[in-house]
Each structure stands twice: as structure tokens, then as C-alpha cells.
Amino acid sequence: MSTPVPTSTASPTSPTSPTSPTSPTSQWSDPLIITVAPNGAYKQPADHPALPITPQRLAATARACLDAGAAMIHMHIRDAQGRHSLDVDGYREAWRVVREAVGTDMVVQITSEAAGVYRAPEQIAMVQALRPEAVSIGLREIDQPEIGDAGLAHFFTGLVRDQVMVQVILYDVADLRRWQALRAQGVVPEAPWFLLFVLGRYSAGQTSRPQDLLPFLAAHDGGEPWAVCAFGATENTCIAAAAAFGGHARVGFENNLLTRDGHTAPDNAALVRQAVVSAQALGRSLATADDIRRRFTPG
């Protein structure tokens, strides 16, 4: 990794904190990973006053969500006009400020999302230049003719070599089948990949239902761990269903501004706390950042 990780500034986890195991005798051997996605590429503070788009606001949100029980932040940055950005220097600055707030107690995952602004070669070039701790990659965004199988193999092999933790975003079963084919063909090397199943992205009104998870589960024949994200007030129900099936959760203002009762959430941490309650109801402990690093860092 090219960017040094500073010493943690976060206080130790207390026995009663959200990141402590919910039960020492839990039937679950796989702690639940809660990732917060606090801003996304499109929403603005006009959509919610607690939406963070500056490094300082991201840092404060990261700290609050860490305290609430999240072990990873899925981070978007913006340019000076508040627009989606994949600027390498901008990412380095945001990473620095967030790290000052959470130390090493949170995994910082950056996005490579195109958001209608970037094309696959630019997305790949950004990740290669930044060499982040963790990155999310929309498979359909980079699986483009100008990249080809050779380009994909070079990119994914480089991520493994650089020990970058990778979450592959899949929007439907066709995406999952394509991922499986790339694995089978050897285009994607063996590594501890992490999948994200997006529920309801292309449904009418972009709404999500727990049932949307079932086609993914029926088609998933690999050993990769997976998480879900969902849209609207059903977000919490969807991630609870995922947790019950052994998956993991991504919550936050990127996809949803509402609590499970349909009211506007006061902040991202409130959505994290809902996920913690679901984990506790299942008797499932919460993953720490170190758990994530041990599991998903290649090498």
C-alpha cells in the first residue's frame, strides 16, 4: 500500500459498545459487517442537512457511525461545486481527514463509480494511481469493450498484488453470472473477493424488497461473502433478511434517507443503529475493522 496508516485515535471498544459481540455463545461464526454509505454520487445537502460532502463532514460522520457500530465507510468525494469526483488528490485528502477521526478502527473504502461522468479507463486509472485500502467496483461499469478480458485481468491482478480489498458490485443475476464466468475463465484471479448485491436498483420506482435477494442467493454458487444494499424505508428489512441468510449490510444516505417507520432519519448513524438492532435480534456479533482486514486483504 502506498499510503501509510496512522496510529488509531479511536478509544478502545468497551464491553457494552455496539462493536462488541452480542453473545459469546452465538450460533453465528461470521460477524456481521456493517458498512455505512453516507453520501453517494448524487444527493446534496438540500436533500438532507446531515448529508456529508466535505472531508470534514465525512470525518464527523465516520466517527459517529463507528461509534454506532459500523466497521467500514463507503466514501464518495465531491469537487468544489459538490459534484461527484474521482480525483486522486481529493481522495487522498479526504482519506487523511477521515483517518484522523477514526484511526484504523474503520476500513475506508472508496468508490470507483462512474455516475455518468467517467468511463472505464478513467475509473481504472484512478484506482491504480490511488492504491486505496479498499475499493468498490461496479462490474458492469468496467467490463467494457475498450477494456476487454485482458484489461480486466490486468486490473484485477494488480489489485491483488497491491493488497487492495475489493468489493464487486452486482446489480442483478446477469451481473453475477458474468462475474462467475470471469472467475471460471481465469480472467479474475483467486483472491478474497467481497460481493455486493444491489436490491431493487432497476425495479419500478427503485424500491427494494427482501424477496429481491432470493434470485441472487439461488444463483450464487461461489464461496465469496456478500452484502446487500437497498433503497427506501425497506432498507432495514432487506439488510435484516440478508443478515439472517449469513450476508452483510451496507446502509446509509447514499441509498436511503428513511428509518424503518418511514420517517426521515436524523443522520447516517441512526441507520447504522437500526442494523445493529437487527444483528442483536439474530444473536449475531459485529465485525471490527481488523476482522475485515484479516478476511479481505489479499496475500
Side-chain angles (χ1 to χ4, degrees), residues 2-3 75 77 87-97 128-131:
S2 61
T3 310
M75 191 170 73
I77 61 168
D87 180 70
V88 172
D89 290 337
Y91 262 131
R92 287 178 178 148
E93 174 61 10
W95 187 94
R96 181 190 67 79
V97 175
Q128 290 171 332
L130 186 62
R131 297 173 63 195

Side-chain angles (χ1 to χ4, degrees), residues 36-270:
V36 63
N39 53 3
Y42 302 103
K43 290 188 177 77
Q44 296 291 332
D47 297 304
H48 194 297
L51 185 96
I53 63 171
T54 66
Q56 291 72 26
R57 293 289 299 277
L58 279 167
T61 297
R63 180 71 245 184
C65 291
L66 171 63
D67 292 341
M72 181 156 68
I73 181 170
H74 170 74
M75 191 170 73
H76 289 247
I77 61 168
R78 306 294 182 89
D79 64 16
Q81 288 73 45
R83 299 171 301 197
H84 174 65
S85 174
L86 296 183
D87 180 70
V88 172
D89 290 337
Y91 262 131
R92 287 178 178 148
E93 174 61 10
W95 187 94
R96 181 190 67 79
V97 175
V98 169
R99 273 280 174 253
E100 287 180 351
V102 299
T104 59
D105 290 339
M106 200 172 216
V107 171
V108 178
Q109 178 195 78
I110 62 108
T111 186
S112 61
E113 184 177 348
V117 179
Y118 297 94
R119 295 190 59 82
E122 298 170 294
Q123 296 166 267
I124 290 172
M126 180 278 292
V127 177
Q128 290 171 332
L130 186 62
R131 297 173 63 195
E133 175 183 32
V135 66
S136 68
I137 295 169
L139 181 63
R140 65 173 56 181
E141 292 189 346
I142 64 165
D143 184 20
Q144 297 295 320
E146 62 264 42
I147 304 301
D149 285 1
L152 289 175
H154 178 76
F155 180 45
F156 281 114
T157 300
L159 291 169
V160 175
R161 181 193 62 238
D162 291 340
Q163 297 187 299
V164 178
M165 291 180 280
V166 178
Q167 187 170 52
V168 180
I169 301 175
L170 307 171
Y171 289 95
D172 54 27
V173 170
D175 281 359
L176 177 56
R177 294 295 191 202
R178 176 58 175 159
W179 171 254
Q180 292 166 339
L182 292 170
R183 293 288 311 272
Q185 295 161 13
V187 174
V188 175
E190 287 299 319
W193 309 108
F194 189 16
L195 306 182
L196 180 72
F197 300 150
V198 181
L199 306 187
R201 172 67 175 84
Y202 294 104
S203 64
Q206 198 175 102
T207 57
S208 303
R209 307 174 305 156
Q211 299 95 308
D212 296 335
L213 175 60
L214 299 180
F216 285 105
L217 295 182
H220 182 39
D221 59 6
E224 303 101 332
W226 51 272
V228 303
C229 68
F231 300 86
T234 56
E235 175 189 69
N236 185 253
T237 305
C238 290
I239 65 97
F245 280 106
H248 302 278
R250 192 179 93 176
V251 300
F253 283 0
E254 175 169 354
N255 299 121
N256 168 49
L257 298 174
L258 304 174
T259 58
R260 61 190 177 188
D261 61 5
H263 293 104
T264 300
D267 52 28
N268 279 281

Side-chain angles (χ1 to χ4, degrees), residues 22 26-28 32 239-246 276-285:
T22 54
S26 171
Q27 63 178 312
W28 296 96
L32 179 70
I239 65 97
F245 280 106
V276 171
V277 170
S278 295
Q280 291 172 335
L282 292 166
R284 193 165 173 187
S285 64

